[in-house]
Amino acid sequence: MSIIVNINHDLMMRKLVSCLSILMLLGAGTLQAQKAKSERVGMQKKYVDEVETLAKRPAVKKAFQIILDLEPETRAEHILLTEIPAPPFKEEIRGIRFAEMIKAIGVDSVWTDGVGNIIALRKGKTRKRTIVLDAHLDTVFPEGTDVTVKYDGDTLKAPGIGDDTRGLAVVLAVLKSMNKAEIQTHDDVMIIATVGEEGLGDLRGVKHLYGDNGIKIDIHIAVDGGGIGRIVNGAVGSLRYRVTFKGPGGHSYGAFGLANPHNALGRAMHYFAVSADEFTRKGIKTTYNVGVIGGGTSVNSIPFESWMEVDMRSEDPERLKGMNDLLHSAVQKALKEENQMKRM
């Protein structure tokens, strides 16, 4: 008997742009120090000048100082949110607490959308545009992970404390500083805590924001990642697959000779890795990874199914398509060979 293969995939785009929150957190002195570096990477002088002018405004200086003064409070909120588990697809409890914190700071309205994103609106004077400042609620760590925050000298340690619970604390601090410094923006500002950024969540929260029933967004600023010295304004495309080989299964001795899904999976991984390794050694950075594998019931049973989860990324759509083709080719080659080897 033969085996078959099923493939499901989804495509996501990540885009992080330069943001008001980062500018406020950098402070005027740091902005000056960064000028030379910014010019080296091609930033236009007029934007550097605008940032420096903004940093010198009394209200913005006041906001910078408020952020510094609020650090003990920000740290406490950071720890509080970190210790509320938010594994993939189970961000609700953390989201409820975040919404309570937003309401306590003060905004015009707060609501939860259809997928669980927490959205807060701070109205602007002209309301011609909408600027989103967001961080994601979920962490990559599975349910049951100990998320207790521990101190190591002056360092806080816990799963998910950086990615992206610190982002949540940052957006709260930015909102507080704007309110306390009485900064009135021309545009609407939305503070959003999104769901489903990590793993198989596959940016479901952000995708919903941009869907048919989403909100109109003119500028989107995401606070994420561990580095504080960089602003990302490009996009990385990602293809994620769950590849499943299926067969009849049976006893390892009594049914010996049936096609084995594990054998096919092993071949597919090998063929894909060999071709992908060569492909990714040149050109624009393109990556691949088999992150999770599974299947089977016992050592003396031919498995009914075998599966793997694959992630591929690139800034170049054509390179990503090339990786996609390599994966499909490897899977079909492995499937054909295993079916040809079966004896029953």
Side-chain angles (χ1 to χ4, degrees):
M1 298 182 68
S2 302
I3 59 174
I4 59 175
V5 60
N6 296 330
I7 305 177
N8 294 317
H9 79 277
D10 198 4
L11 174 65
M12 73 173 186
M13 295 297 292
R14 296 167 179 257
K15 183 174 290 186
L16 301 178
V17 298
S18 102
C19 64
L20 172 65
S21 63
I22 294 176
L23 296 179
M24 294 184 72
L25 290 171
L26 285 174
T30 306
L31 286 170
Q32 179 65 33
Q34 292 291 318
K35 179 178 179 181
K37 181 178 179 180
S38 298
E39 290 176 344
R40 283 200 303 271
V41 298
M43 182 181 291
Q44 295 182 32
K45 184 178 183 298
K46 67 176 182 178
Y47 297 125
V48 176
D49 291 343
E50 285 179 8
V51 169
E52 291 178 345
T53 299
L54 174 67
K56 292 176 183 177
R57 291 184 179 179
V60 176
K61 285 185 176 181
K62 183 178 179 180
F64 289 155
Q65 187 59 50
I66 289 170
I67 287 174
L68 295 176
D69 295 341
L70 285 174
E71 180 54 30
E73 184 177 316
T74 301
R75 186 186 306 115
E77 292 177 342
H78 187 185
I79 294 171
L80 184 153
L81 288 169
T82 300
E83 293 185 338
I84 301 174
F89 299 95
K90 295 187 178 181
E91 309 97 330
E92 183 178 4
I93 296 176
R94 181 181 282 190
I96 291 171
R97 187 68 184 93
F98 183 86
E100 293 171 350
M101 297 164 80
I102 283 282
K103 291 176 183 177
I105 296 170
V107 289
D108 291 289
S109 58
V110 181
W111 69 96
T112 304
D113 70 13
V115 296
N117 295 320
I118 307 300
I119 304 175
L121 171 64
R122 188 180 190 270
K123 293 180 180 178
K125 289 187 291 186
T126 63
R127 308 199 66 190
K128 292 182 178 179
R129 301 186 304 174
T130 297
I131 300 173
V132 165
L133 178 61
D134 100 80
H136 62 87
L137 286 164
D138 58 320
T139 68
V140 72
F141 300 95
E143 189 173 15
T145 300
D146 182 4
V147 291
T148 304
V149 177
K150 299 178 176 62
Y151 284 84
D152 182 3
D154 62 354
T155 303
L156 301 177
K157 293 185 176 182
I161 196 167
D163 185 6
D164 187 30
T165 318
R166 181 59 180 174
L168 296 173
V170 165
V171 299
L172 290 174
V174 169
L175 178 61
K176 288 178 189 177
S177 69
M178 292 174 68
N179 283 1
K180 291 179 180 292
E182 299 181 339
I183 292 176
Q184 183 63 42
T185 58
H186 289 282
D187 302 320
D188 284 352
V189 175
M190 283 188 171
I191 304 295
I192 303 181
T194 55
V195 297
E197 196 273 350
E198 300 287 5
L200 294 179
D202 203 26
L203 286 179
R204 77 179 190 280
V206 172
K207 287 177 178 177
H208 185 79
L209 295 178
Y210 286 92
D212 293 338
N213 297 317
I215 57 180
K216 181 181 179 296
I217 299 173
D218 297 285
I219 299 173
H220 192 135
I221 302 161
V223 183
D224 197 359
I228 61 173
R230 61 180 182 175
I231 297 173
V232 180
N233 66 347
V236 176
S238 174
L239 283 170
R240 289 175 175 173
Y241 283 87
R242 184 182 179 108
V243 180
T244 305
F245 291 91
K246 295 185 177 182
H251 193 274
S252 61
Y253 187 82
F256 178 72
L258 291 178
N260 188 315
H262 280 358
N263 293 347
L265 182 73
R267 285 192 178 88
M269 291 174 62
H270 170 72
Y271 293 142
F272 176 56
V274 170
S275 58
D277 175 70
E278 180 180 357
F279 184 81
T280 56
R281 287 184 178 273
K282 56 186 176 182
I284 294 174
K285 182 178 180 179
T286 303
T287 65
Y288 63 96
N289 182 58
V290 178
V292 187
I293 60 175
T297 56
S298 70
V299 69
N300 62 342
S301 298
I302 300 170
F304 291 94
E305 70 174 27
S306 185
W307 54 267
M308 64 177 171
E309 291 176 358
V310 185
D311 174 89
M312 299 171 287
R313 305 188 189 202
S314 181
E315 297 176 28
D316 184 345
E318 290 302 314
R319 298 279 292 167
L320 192 58
K321 180 181 181 301
M323 288 294 294
N324 181 67
D325 293 342
L326 292 178
L327 176 64
H328 279 266
S329 176
V331 167
Q332 293 302 321
K333 182 178 180 180
L335 177 68
K336 180 179 179 181
E337 288 186 357
E338 180 60 22
N339 282 330
Q340 287 176 338
M341 288 183 64
K342 64 183 176 64
R343 304 181 188 181
M344 296 178 62

